Amino acid sequence: MSATLLSMAFLPAECPRVWTLTAPAPFADETSCQCQAPHEKLTIAQARLGTPVDRPVRVYADGIFDLFHSGHARALMQAKTLFPNSYLLVGVCSDDLTHKFKGFTVMNEAERYEALRHCRYVDEVIRDAPWTLTPEFLEKHKIDFVAHDDIPYSSAGSDDVYKHIKEAGMFVPTQRTEGISTSDIITRIVRDYDVYARRNLQRGYTAKELNVSFINEKKYRFQNQVDKMKEKVKNVEERSKEFVNRVEEKSHDLIQKWEEKSREFIGNFLELFGPDGAWKQMFQERSSRMLQALSPKQSPVSSPTRSRSPSRSPSPTFSWLPNKTSPPSSPKAASASISSMSEGDEDEK
């Protein structure tokens, strides 16, 4: 059973628990829920073993709680879970006390009260809590134990404002959360003041609201414009990189396809025009066909040709024989032809 349910179970009948996780914690001066049970002093050992069934252990934690953060919440969680059955009262100091003993706050007291009311570990909020706890205050709120970190808290002329609580055996230490505090948050804001001033100007706040001079306002607005231009250039560069990457991917694919097609083209070319290619065979076949078509076939010989003897001269051609179809036209022409034939016979002899 959780501590919250246990605290509800062990509350007396005349003091019903009105706060739940669906509503903020009540203020002590507004609630009619006052603890009427007999308030017997408890030791820490008794509280850890288990309290009387008629009431929970009333634990008190106080602070400024400016810029309420996770370190505050963890401290209150520790205070709430110190004992099996506990009722956590949280005291918040007013603006007057805080500004007097500690310094100026970012949040005013009303804002700090409301922040505590909405913390899940808080059962009741005490407004305008005292800076130093008095016996009358402890008795009024029936406080059994006070929870705070164990580091001596020097303030209001005292080395440790919780010294008398520790001596009375009513102090229960909690652990601080390292790396987070109100002072750390304010330091970040002061360190990066220009950044946050430009941020709020960009969000619509006026220079007067930010207590910024006219020159600084113009400077911040100019810097905001420069940042916008840088952002645009950055976006363009990113888009350009994406475009280049896409082009490179497509180029890589095109090169691969080109290489594949080139290899295929070269292979086909070698198959056609290589030493043993199909084109050579086809060319040879076509060449032989063309040669056959251009060269005519020889006429068949009716009788074998007799070989000529080298010692014998070829047979003379008898051109002197008279042409039957064309007889000499006159006696002079006939005598001329006979005389020419007789001269030819003498030459041969």
Side-chain angles (χ1 to χ4, degrees), residues 283-338:
F283 180 76
Q284 290 177 350
E285 292 177 359
R286 291 186 178 182
S287 298
S288 61
R289 291 177 184 176
M290 289 176 66
L291 289 174
Q292 290 177 3
L294 293 174
S295 59
K297 296 183 180 180
Q298 295 181 356
S299 302
V301 181
S302 58
S303 60
T305 307
R306 289 186 292 180
S307 60
R308 296 178 181 178
S309 175
S311 60
R312 298 180 63 182
S313 56
S315 301
T317 304
F318 300 98
S319 60
W320 53 270
L321 291 176
N323 191 354
K324 297 180 179 180
T325 59
S326 60
S329 60
S330 63
K332 290 182 179 181
S335 62
S337 61
I338 292 170

Side-chain angles (χ1 to χ4, degrees), residues 214-230:
F214 176 80
I215 296 176
N216 284 337
E217 178 192 5
K218 298 304 178 184
K219 181 182 75 172
Y220 294 150
R221 293 192 184 279
F222 176 74
Q223 289 174 342
N224 287 336
Q225 294 297 325
V226 171
D227 288 344
K228 287 181 180 179
M229 291 298 297
K230 288 181 179 179

Side-chain angles (χ1 to χ4, degrees), residues 3 8-9 13 16 30 35 37 61 73 80 112 121 147 169 186 252 261 265 287 303 306 332 343:
M8 294 176 66
E30 291 182 353
C35 182
K80 178 68 176 176
R112 293 185 284 117
Y121 309 112
I186 295 175
H252 185 68
K261 293 295 182 182
F265 175 77
S287 298
S303 60
R306 289 186 292 180
K332 290 182 179 181
E343 289 176 0

Side-chain angles (χ1 to χ4, degrees), residues 19 23-27 61-69 71-77 79 88-93 107-127 129 182:
W19 174 79
F27 290 120
D62 59 0
I64 309 302
F65 302 106
D66 190 21
L67 297 176
F68 189 82
H69 52 74
H72 295 142
R74 289 176 67 86
L76 297 176
M77 178 187 70
L88 181 60
L89 302 93
V90 179
V92 183
C93 300
M107 301 169 65
N108 59 42
E109 59 185 26
E111 294 169 336
R112 293 185 284 117
Y113 297 155
E114 283 298 318
L116 266 298
R117 291 186 68 196
H118 292 84
C119 178
R120 63 181 298 181
Y121 309 112
V122 178
D123 295 304
E124 189 174 314
V125 175
I126 301 175
R127 293 182 285 195
T182 301

Side-chain angles (χ1 to χ4, degrees), residues 105-325:
T105 59
V106 178
M107 301 169 65
N108 59 42
E109 59 185 26
E111 294 169 336
R112 293 185 284 117
Y113 297 155
E114 283 298 318
L116 266 298
R117 291 186 68 196
H118 292 84
C119 178
R120 63 181 298 181
Y121 309 112
V122 178
D123 295 304
E124 189 174 314
V125 175
I126 301 175
R127 293 182 285 195
D128 192 15
W131 198 260
T132 302
L133 300 179
T134 62
E136 294 78 14
F137 180 83
L138 297 175
E139 178 62 27
K140 175 183 178 181
H141 295 282
K142 303 293 189 288
I143 296 171
D144 293 307
F145 300 102
V146 176
H148 200 273
D149 63 81
D150 203 15
I151 300 173
Y153 194 86
S154 58
S155 180
S158 174
D159 295 336
D160 187 1
V161 294
Y162 297 103
K163 182 178 180 180
H164 63 290
I165 303 296
K166 294 176 181 177
E167 292 173 350
M170 298 176 63
F171 187 84
V172 184
T174 58
Q175 299 296 322
R176 291 180 65 89
T177 301
E178 297 297 331
I180 183 68
S181 68
T182 301
S183 298
D184 290 340
I185 295 173
I186 295 175
T187 300
R188 294 181 210 169
I189 297 172
V190 173
R191 181 188 60 201
D192 301 324
Y193 169 78
D194 288 352
V195 175
Y196 295 114
R198 289 167 52 191
R199 170 186 179 272
N200 281 12
L201 280 173
Q202 197 170 9
R203 290 175 177 266
Y205 288 87
T206 64
K208 184 178 180 180
E209 290 173 326
L210 297 173
N211 195 23
V212 173
S213 66
F214 176 80
I215 296 176
N216 284 337
E217 178 192 5
K218 298 304 178 184
K219 181 182 75 172
Y220 294 150
R221 293 192 184 279
F222 176 74
Q223 289 174 342
N224 287 336
Q225 294 297 325
V226 171
D227 288 344
K228 287 181 180 179
M229 291 298 297
K230 288 181 179 179
E231 189 67 23
K232 289 181 180 179
V233 171
K234 183 179 179 181
N235 293 335
V236 170
E237 289 179 351
E238 291 177 353
R239 292 176 183 175
S240 300
K241 288 180 180 178
E242 292 178 359
F243 175 75
V244 170
N245 291 333
R246 288 198 299 268
V247 170
E248 287 180 352
E249 292 176 358
K250 291 183 179 180
S251 301
H252 185 68
D253 294 339
L254 290 174
I255 291 172
Q256 285 184 342
K257 291 180 181 179
W258 183 83
E259 290 178 349
E260 293 174 359
K261 293 295 182 182
S262 299
R263 286 192 292 267
E264 182 180 353
F265 175 77
I266 293 171
N268 293 335
F269 183 83
L270 292 176
E271 287 181 1
L272 288 174
F273 303 102
D276 300 326
W279 180 260
K280 183 179 180 182
Q281 297 177 1
M282 183 169 44
F283 180 76
Q284 290 177 350
E285 292 177 359
R286 291 186 178 182
S287 298
S288 61
R289 291 177 184 176
M290 289 176 66
L291 289 174
Q292 290 177 3
L294 293 174
S295 59
K297 296 183 180 180
Q298 295 181 356
S299 302
V301 181
S302 58
S303 60
T305 307
R306 289 186 292 180
S307 60
R308 296 178 181 178
S309 175
S311 60
R312 298 180 63 182
S313 56
S315 301
T317 304
F318 300 98
S319 60
W320 53 270
L321 291 176
N323 191 354
K324 297 180 179 180
T325 59

